[in-house]
Amino acid sequence: MNAAASRLPTPSRNVDGGAIASELLDRGVCLVRSAVREDLVQALSRDFAPTFAATPRSTGVFYGGNTKRFHSLLRRSPHMAAFVLQEAIFEAVTAILGPHCDTIQLNLTQAIELLPGGMAQPPHRDQDMWPLQHPGVEYLINVMWPLTPYRAENGTTIVWPGSHRRQQEIVMSDDEALPVEMDPGDALLFLGSTLHCGGVNRTQTSRRGMIVSYSLGWLKPYELPWLAYPPHVASTFHPDLAALAGYRAHRPNLGTYEGRCPSATLQPAGDELGAIDALRPEQERLIALYREGALQPGTPLAARPGSAVPAKT
């Protein structure tokens, strides 16, 4: 075991979301053993098997030609909800991302098959897909779910524990890298600011897994949800799942359709309605203060980032 391994916890199945969130913020990664039942993983794998077989190899220097990848996983298996909404993991995700947005969203669902051979993926931080970061704010959390055993020799995910605190470093020493070995039913969580990569598959068999990625609801997601899950598909989802998949407006008035929450498109057709405001309470209070004449030119906002409440003077 290398030095990095001693910094990666392996919580029990019954660990709560608060403990997961604490480990994530402390180490940048957290491994949850037996997060879901193995029979659920097997059922999901059966649903994905035809698509894995039909999907061509990926193209590009980042994805590499020795991988297969496909998306829109919520519509490919009814078992996805058990993974996306796993109670303790979703609680941890909400605890970390929730304070920085009105609602969280699915950034990505992606199935991955790493074929034998090829090159290791370049180390990277997934938050770098967005050009600006605010210090102290995490933009996304990834959850890697293995569908087959992940081992060092078959190219398991490699993480650099603690790298979320060293974001100015583009690469870090191999001595600090940890190949995370895990089995179907386990879940590896890591922050968008954590350095990681996929390894090289040195065996003769593929390894398969999937990523479920959550992000702040005001960011443009990796996967366009309304194309991945048009209304006739999303209307079959549990409301919580549909909301994560884009069918929920983010206050103030982001991601609307015809001026209303896009969840309206999932309801039976009825009378046309006009636009409906979707504002945060502090924004409504600010408007009320303005209409009462309580705001004067030059009134400062409170220091809290994102606040729309004027500071007391």
Side-chain angles (χ1 to χ4, degrees), residues 147-288:
L147 302 180
T148 60
Y150 273 39
R151 299 290 184 264
E153 58 268 21
N154 71 1
T156 190
T157 303
I158 300 169
V159 296
W160 278 260
S163 57
H164 64 307
R165 301 186 186 279
R166 299 162 59 183
Q167 296 183 43
Q168 74 281 2
E169 299 179 47
I170 299 175
V171 296
M172 298 175 68
S173 168
D174 288 345
D175 292 339
E176 300 178 76
L178 174 65
V180 182
E181 300 199 336
M182 49 186 171
D183 295 303
D186 297 341
L188 174 68
L189 290 81
F190 52 98
L191 301 174
S193 56
T194 297
L195 196 68
H196 68 282
C197 67
V200 177
N201 187 349
R202 296 184 175 86
T203 71
Q204 297 303 306
T205 58
S206 295
R207 65 101 166 140
R208 291 178 175 178
M210 72 170 177
I211 297 174
V212 175
S213 175
Y214 310 83
S215 68
L216 303 179
W218 47 265
L219 288 169
K220 184 172 184 177
Y222 179 103
E223 182 175 35
L224 288 175
W226 301 302
L227 290 179
Y229 313 110
H232 74 276
V233 173
S235 63
T236 67
F237 295 167
H238 185 280
D240 292 343
L241 203 60
L244 281 170
Y247 288 86
R248 173 173 54 193
H250 184 289
R251 297 177 297 180
N253 296 323
L254 294 178
T256 63
Y257 176 73
E258 297 288 355
R260 289 179 288 145
C261 180
S263 61
T265 65
L266 306 182
Q267 307 303 319
D271 295 336
E272 289 297 322
L273 300 175
I276 301 173
D277 266 339
L279 301 178
R280 292 180 60 82
E282 63 266 27
Q283 293 165 327
E284 293 181 345
R285 290 196 299 270
L286 187 61
I287 292 172

